[in-house]
């Protein structure tokens, strides 16, 4: 009977380990495969609005540049000179704060769930072309010449028939940035291009591979980028040209991004030159960048944009502003129509029977109407997902009651073992490892799995020692030593399942039509990594405990036998 129980527990732990592995993988894959609900029916772009009020717009994106570094006069003197004579704002973005989703937001003006950019940093061969209207296509339709000098991901993401001149590279260092700037300088001198986009990489590289923003090499990289910016400025005449400088995301102090920390979701925005009203404009949204560029170039507002042209920063004149307002209203209506269709919105029927989507749309509050469609569906699915966690956690109540009634001691030491495991894990993770509870601290799949395995091993070992000592596990039968260890592993896994179930309710098993809520999604992922290793190491520890007890007993038996047969001397 007892052997069968132990066998069942072994099988259960193997199933848990396998299940945790597949679930954690599916969570990352869901993120990887995420596409916008608008991908098959992008809203149609409106008409080109007017002749550009400026000669050209040069957009320099400094990958990974933080606001504090951008504001540092000593590190970035050229950028700060530009800031003082231009419009300055702090830009806010939304997770995931990886580069590819941020590029997509900046070029389309749509948030990551609609822009149809990747939600993750995909491999080059897995990148897809942006299905939604973006600033390059808008400029091209307006008859403007566009040029792009950038990291090679953009070769895949931007429709190349909208690009008249291009230079792409897979490099990420200073030498690469020099090449990128040289290509742009050539286009500026040729005077044939009205929209020039340059993406510089070395600050982001310093963030990832040279110790992050606290390392001196970070400021050195930012300083070199500032010099390159000086070279671009020297070729421009700000009476006719407009220059925009932003980054795509920040970096946490240890280096890294992708998560939801404020520091990775805040970026510098500096706009200077022709048609710009200087000043400090407080805070803007990342989705405002593409419509603002469109307003400077006179193109249509990118069709999927959820932002607004920051006309308060621009000197466009009354007529152009009127056209902008008019088209923006039409654009919002078109976006709403396509979104409602893509989301399967049926007025007054099914889950939408009680919703105020139609009245919001009728009032012209299209953004709110879209939000209502999103929230009603999300709420409906979350409610449906409450069942599984309820079924899952109900036996826990009975288990606790049973333990309290029958094995007070077991329960007490079990609680101690569980508390020690979780305390040690978070000590190792957050304090010793210095990691945050977000994707910003995940350098790669290998990194989080290796670190998770190590932290789980150490924590389980310490937790088990406390529990085994308190329970006197090693003084019992081998099978009891193994069984006790299994109980501890199951207890730890049960607690780990709480964040998993919470994320399941909020986000579903993995990212599907909506981007996941980042905090719960990451916590769930981290718990699944632990479940995998607690199951595996739990099996190992149980085997070792049983073996230790057997060996000890055999020695005792041998000793007794030897003492018994010894002739008296
Ligand atoms: Zn980036």
């Amino acid at each position: 009977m007892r052997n069968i129980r132990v066998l069942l527990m072994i099988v259960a732990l193997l199933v848990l380990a396998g299940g945790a592995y597949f679930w954690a993988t599916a969570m990352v894959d869901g993120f990887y495969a995420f596409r916008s609900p608008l991908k098959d029916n992008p809203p149609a772009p409106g008409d080109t609005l007017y002749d550009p009020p400026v000669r050209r717009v040069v957009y320099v994106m400094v990958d990974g540049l933080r606001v504090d570094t951008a504001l540092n006069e000593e590190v970035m003197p050229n950028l700060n000179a530009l800031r003082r004579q231009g419009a300055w704002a702090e830009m806010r973005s939304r997770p995931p704060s990886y580069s590819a989703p941020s590029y997509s937001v900046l070029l389309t003006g749509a948030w990551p769930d609609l822009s149809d950019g990747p939600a993750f940093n995909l491999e080059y061969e897995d990148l897809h072309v942006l299905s939604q209207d973006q600033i390059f296509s808008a400029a091209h339709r307006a008859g403007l010449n566009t040029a792009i000098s950038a990291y090679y991901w953009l070769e895949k993401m931007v429709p190349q028939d909208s690009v008249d001149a291009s230079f792409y590279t897979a490099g990420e260092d200073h030498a690469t940035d020099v090449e990128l700037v040289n290509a742009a300088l050539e286009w500026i001198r040729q005077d044939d291009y009205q929209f020039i986009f340059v993406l510089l990489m070395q600050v982001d590289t310093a963030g990832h591979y040279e110790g992050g923003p606290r390392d001196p090499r970070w400021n050195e990289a930012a300083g070199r980028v500032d010099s390159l910016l000086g070279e671009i400025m020297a070729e421009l005449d700000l009476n006719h040209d407009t220059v925009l400088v932003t980054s795509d995301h920040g970096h946490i102090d240890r280096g890294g991004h992708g998560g939801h920390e404020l520091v990775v979701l805040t970026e510098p925005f500096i706009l200077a030159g022709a048609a710009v009203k200087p000043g400090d404009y407080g805070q803007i949204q990342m989705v405002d960048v593409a419509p603002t560029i469109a307003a400077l170039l006179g193109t249509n507002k990118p069709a999927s944009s959820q932002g607004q042209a920051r006309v308060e920063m621009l000197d466009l004149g009354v007529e152009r502003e009127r056209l902008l307002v008019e088209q923006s209203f039409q654009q919002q209506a078109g976006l709403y129509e396509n979104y409602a269709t893509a989301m399967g919105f049926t007025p007054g029927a099914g889950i939408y029977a009680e919703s105020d989507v139609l009245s919001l749309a009728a009032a012209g509050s299209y953004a709110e109407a879209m939000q209502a469609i999103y929230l009603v569906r999300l709420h409906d699915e979350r409610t449906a997902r409450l069942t599984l966690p309820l079924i899952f956690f109900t036996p826990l109540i009975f288990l606790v009651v049973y333990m309290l009634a029958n094995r007070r001691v077991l329960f007490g030491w079990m609680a101690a073992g569980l508390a020690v495991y979780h305390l040690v894990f978070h000590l190792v993770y957050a304090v010793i490892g210095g990691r945050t509870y977000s994707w910003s601290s995940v350098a790669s799949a290998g990194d989080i799995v290796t670190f998770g395995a190590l932290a789980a091993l150490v924590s389980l070992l310490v937790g088990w020692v406390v529990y085994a000592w308190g329970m006197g596990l090693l003084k019992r039968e081998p099978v009891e030593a193994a069984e006790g260890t299994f109980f501890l592993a199951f207890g730890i896994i049960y607690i780990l399942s709480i964040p998993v179930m919470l994320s399941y309710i909020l986000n579903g098993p993995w990212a599907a039509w909506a981007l996941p809520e980042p905090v719960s999604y990451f916590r769930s992922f981290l718990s699944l990594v632990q479940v995998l290793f607690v199951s595996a190491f739990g099996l190992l520890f149980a085997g070792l405990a049983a073996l230790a007890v057997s060996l000890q007993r055999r020695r005792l038996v041998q000793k007794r036998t030897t003492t018994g047969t010894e002739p008296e001397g």
Side-chain angles (χ1 to χ4, degrees), residues 61-123:
M61 195 186 292
V62 184
D63 202 296
L65 182 66
R66 285 194 351 183
V67 169
D68 55 350
T69 312
L71 288 174
N72 191 327
E73 305 255 358
E74 280 166 36
V75 175
M76 306 196 82
N78 289 319
L79 184 63
N80 280 280
L82 199 63
R83 178 172 67 85
R84 276 191 299 272
Q85 67 180 106
W88 152 258
E90 223 176 73
M91 188 159 80
R92 286 288 156 82
S93 51
R94 292 186 187 170
S97 55
Y98 292 108
S99 298
S102 291
Y103 301 159
S104 312
V105 174
L106 286 160
L107 298 177
T108 63
W111 288 118
D113 56 331
L114 293 191
S115 68
D116 200 33
F120 227 35
N121 283 338
L122 307 192
E123 298 295 331

Side-chain angles (χ1 to χ4, degrees), residues 302-313:
S304 304
S305 176
Q306 296 170 278
Q308 292 301 329
R310 303 310 301 225
V311 285
E312 73 274 25
M313 301 179 181

Side-chain angles (χ1 to χ4, degrees), residues 3 65 70 150 161-162 194 203 225 233 329 366 388 393 412 421 438 487 531:
N3 287 342
L65 182 66
D161 56 6
S162 299
Q194 288 79 47
V203 173
V225 164
M233 296 313 301
F329 191 74
Y366 296 116
L388 180 68
F393 285 113
Y421 170 85
S438 98
F487 278 138
V531 171

